[in-house]
Amino acid sequence: MLDAILIQQCADPSVPPAIIEQFIEVAGSPDPLAVTVKSGGRLILVPKAKTPEEAMETVRVHIGHAVVRVGLTQFPAGVGIKDASELKPTLVDACENLRMGTRMFAKIMRIVARWYGDPKDKSVLPQVFDDAVHAWKTGEFEGTAVFQAPDPGTGWRIGGGSALAEEMQEPESDAQEAPNERLDPEADIGQSGIRIDLSRIGGN
């Protein structure tokens, strides 16, 4: 379980701790130095980093040739940069990674919520969360490249509380990373032709 003090001090305050814990559990890593590399849908085995320097070296070697996810939130290392020289060690700092990751995930939840019509009913939140996790893993939601997309800036607020934590114990199992995800340094992470199957909720 993620440290409560770390969540309080570093996570985006708009996201309740219950959601942050679920987010890290299904989409992140317990290791702040974790680096995951995938190319063409295949996991590339990389040495387990023992220091921030080793983790960053692995990122630099693979960035631009594969999809590289980093740290507690498995933040996509290629977002917002055009060259490996722009990579910063904050990617593998537990606090900074949690801050960046939860801020980005909160934006993605708002993007998904906008598609749902900014629902007020808290019973819809687990579905919004599930689709937001899917978007986090694929980089795309309903044709929108979520990492590069502007924040919709709606008045929709992410609910919280113990009841929500209970509701969200088992997020939908179909929130899996698309097998053909690939990152190009000159292209958006979502530009991989991925489409999300929303048939389960009547989407077209």
Side-chain angles (χ1 to χ4, degrees):
M1 180 177 294
L2 199 60
D3 185 82
I5 296 178
L6 186 67
I7 292 177
Q8 181 180 9
Q9 293 180 344
C10 305
D12 189 304
S14 72
V15 187
I19 293 181
I20 292 173
E21 290 178 1
Q22 285 291 326
F23 168 53
I24 298 300
E25 181 178 344
V26 301
S29 169
D31 181 5
L33 299 180
V35 178
T36 303
V37 180
K38 287 188 176 182
S39 180
R42 296 181 179 181
L43 182 66
I44 298 175
L45 296 180
V46 296
K48 180 177 173 58
K50 297 180 180 179
T51 66
E53 291 76 20
E54 289 179 358
M56 290 305 299
E57 179 58 28
T58 298
V59 173
R60 292 188 183 95
V61 167
H62 294 282
I63 196 72
H65 307 289
V67 176
V68 183
R69 300 288 185 127
V70 187
L72 292 176
T73 63
Q74 288 293 278
F75 192 88
V79 169
I81 69 167
K82 293 184 177 180
D83 188 86
S85 63
E86 298 177 33
L87 292 167
K88 298 180 180 180
T90 50
L91 280 171
V92 292
D93 176 82
C95 186
E96 287 300 318
N97 185 281
L98 187 61
R99 179 176 290 115
M100 292 188 301
T102 55
R103 182 184 300 130
M104 180 70 78
F105 187 68
K107 182 191 78 169
I108 293 174
M109 286 194 74
R110 287 189 287 271
I111 290 172
V112 173
R114 167 62 68 87
W115 186 85
Y116 276 92
D118 295 332
K120 304 302 180 184
D121 185 352
K122 189 161 61 175
S123 67
V124 181
L125 183 56
Q127 185 65 61
V128 172
F129 174 85
D130 178 56
D131 286 341
V133 167
H134 194 130
W136 178 268
K137 291 182 176 183
T138 63
E140 188 170 311
F141 177 75
E142 280 294 286
T144 297
V146 293
F147 294 115
Q148 292 79 18
D151 195 314
T154 69
W156 187 80
R157 295 177 63 84
I158 302 171
S162 58
L164 171 63
E166 293 175 4
E167 287 181 60
M168 297 175 61
Q169 284 303 306
E170 298 183 1
E172 296 283 345
S173 61
D174 63 342
Q176 299 294 325
E177 186 166 8
N180 64 336
E181 181 183 5
R182 178 185 292 271
L183 174 67
D184 183 278
E186 299 299 325
D188 292 344
I189 192 170
Q191 303 304 309
S192 54
I194 299 166
R195 291 295 179 270
I196 297 174
D197 179 11
L198 293 175
S199 60
R200 66 185 185 281
I201 58 170
N204 293 322

